Amino acid sequence: MNRSAGVAAFALLVAGNVHADWRPDSQDAGAAAVAEVDMYEFDVYLDDKRIGSHTWHVRERASGEREVYSEADFEVRLMFLTVFDYVHRSTEQWRDGCLARITAETIRNGDRLGVSGRQSREGFVVAAGTEERSLPGCVMTFAYWNPQFLAQERLLNPQTGQFEPVDVERAAADGGNRRTGWVVRAEGLEVTVWYDAGSRWVGLEAPTRGGRTLRYVQS
């Protein structure tokens, strides 16, 4: 498994004054203000072999603020051996279309990395490992569920804490599937993100080492 598979796992997102450990089954004092909870559920394949799943729970409040909880679990096995193992959990809060807070943890082949960030007067302050930096302006992650992320010149990688320059272009037509695709490129990353006619995220593809393809297929 290569860099693209790991990066494809990090899409996540969201906003408001909520607990950083919000889960889709949790209850809080502001539950009455919740407008709806949307879900994006994908089975993840390496070529035609299922290797795991990635799920987003997007909770939108009546105020327009959003909270998103994302969880990904991948395992690639060769014969009886695990050759790649990936676990990612992220809780994000968004306000006015910008990231307000994030807490994320990634375990890749046993290596653990935590990323946290919050909006402050100095900008969006993000910490990863022993490093901390302040990012200017409206910060967004690779929020595949929100097509507005495609208009950004830089995106925060919740797996590493890096603020990545990105390039986006329209993908080739997807035959008779009536999907619109966008190719997103950053350092070490190339993914094609697919949307249906209503601009809802419905799939993702990323090339991996050895000519294989990582695919997100709706559950």
Side-chain angles (χ1 to χ4, degrees):
M1 197 72 159
N2 82 333
R3 50 182 171 74
S4 297
V7 177
F10 64 35
L12 325 123
L13 351 140
V14 220
N17 293 319
V18 297
H19 300 296
D21 61 350
W22 175 76
R23 295 295 185 271
D25 58 351
S26 69
Q27 299 292 326
D28 60 37
V34 174
E36 62 179 308
V37 176
D38 200 3
M39 291 186 64
Y40 297 82
E41 298 178 280
F42 294 94
D43 291 316
V44 181
Y45 290 82
L46 187 58
D47 288 338
D48 294 326
K49 183 176 182 180
R50 186 182 184 280
I51 61 170
S53 64
H54 199 161
T55 302
W56 280 260
H57 301 260
V58 182
R59 180 163 74 172
E60 184 168 355
R61 294 180 177 272
S63 64
E65 297 178 345
R66 289 193 178 105
E67 306 151 15
V68 174
Y69 175 67
S70 173
E71 54 185 339
D73 295 272
F74 303 162
E75 183 182 33
V76 179
R77 297 178 64 87
L78 183 62
M79 300 298 288
F80 301 103
L81 299 176
T82 297
V83 296
F84 180 82
D85 185 68
Y86 180 93
V87 177
H88 181 89
R89 301 288 185 268
S90 176
T91 302
E92 298 183 24
Q93 306 171 9
W94 292 68
R95 185 181 301 115
D96 297 328
C98 303
L99 189 66
R101 187 180 295 272
I102 181 172
T103 302
E105 183 178 64
T106 304
I107 305 173
R108 178 170 176 161
N109 291 335
D111 295 327
R112 184 187 303 265
L113 178 63
V115 173
S116 62
R118 59 181 176 80
Q119 189 63 47
S120 71
R121 293 180 180 178
E122 293 73 32
F124 190 85
V125 179
V126 60
T130 59
E131 297 184 12
E132 183 175 292
R133 66 180 67 86
S134 181
L135 309 179
C138 177
V139 173
M140 298 184 72
T141 56
F142 287 74
Y144 302 128
W145 54 273
N146 180 5
Q148 293 181 2
F149 94 97
L150 296 167
Q152 302 300 301
E153 295 182 353
R154 284 180 175 266
L155 294 168
L156 177 65
N157 180 342
Q159 178 178 279
T160 65
Q162 296 299 309
F163 200 37
E164 307 275 4
V166 294
D167 177 69
V168 179
E169 67 176 349
R170 185 75 171 264
D174 188 29
N177 290 328
R178 297 182 179 179
R179 301 190 304 177
T180 300
W182 298 90
V183 181
V184 181
R185 296 186 179 92
E187 183 176 357
L189 163 71
E190 179 180 319
V191 296
T192 301
V193 191
W194 295 100
Y195 298 91
D196 66 14
S199 297
R200 181 177 176 82
W201 179 33
V202 293
L204 179 148
E205 296 176 1
T208 69
R209 185 169 48 196
R212 307 180 77 179
T213 300
L214 184 82
R215 298 184 298 119
Y216 278 32
V217 179
Q218 286 182 299
S219 300

